[in-house]
Amino acid sequence: MRIRPLAVDALLAAAPTTIAVLMAQEATAQGWPPLDAPGYVLVGAVNFPLVARSRAPVSVALTS
């Protein structure tokens, strides 16, 4: 069974996105304002370049 590089990169991008969303939900319990829709979009946009990690590693390193 061969693992597709795009699938691996998508999982690697999903991991920090999930952690950031979970941390944002925990931050509301500590008094920070809740994450709104633009906040969720920004979290996804920040981690999205990781999807192209194996196809354009230099570009991803420069944008990260």
Side-chain angles (χ1 to χ4, degrees):
M1 182 171 119
R2 183 170 184 263
I3 299 174
R4 293 191 164 79
L6 184 60
V8 172
D9 290 342
L11 287 173
L12 286 174
T17 303
T18 303
I19 291 171
V21 168
L22 290 173
M23 288 179 65
Q25 291 174 353
E26 180 64 29
T28 58
Q30 297 178 3
W32 287 85
L35 201 60
D36 54 354
Y40 285 111
V41 170
L42 285 173
V43 167
V46 165
N47 293 309
F48 184 72
L50 292 176
V51 175
R53 183 181 64 91
S54 36
R55 291 183 186 229
V58 175
S59 299
V60 171
L62 292 175
T63 59
S64 298

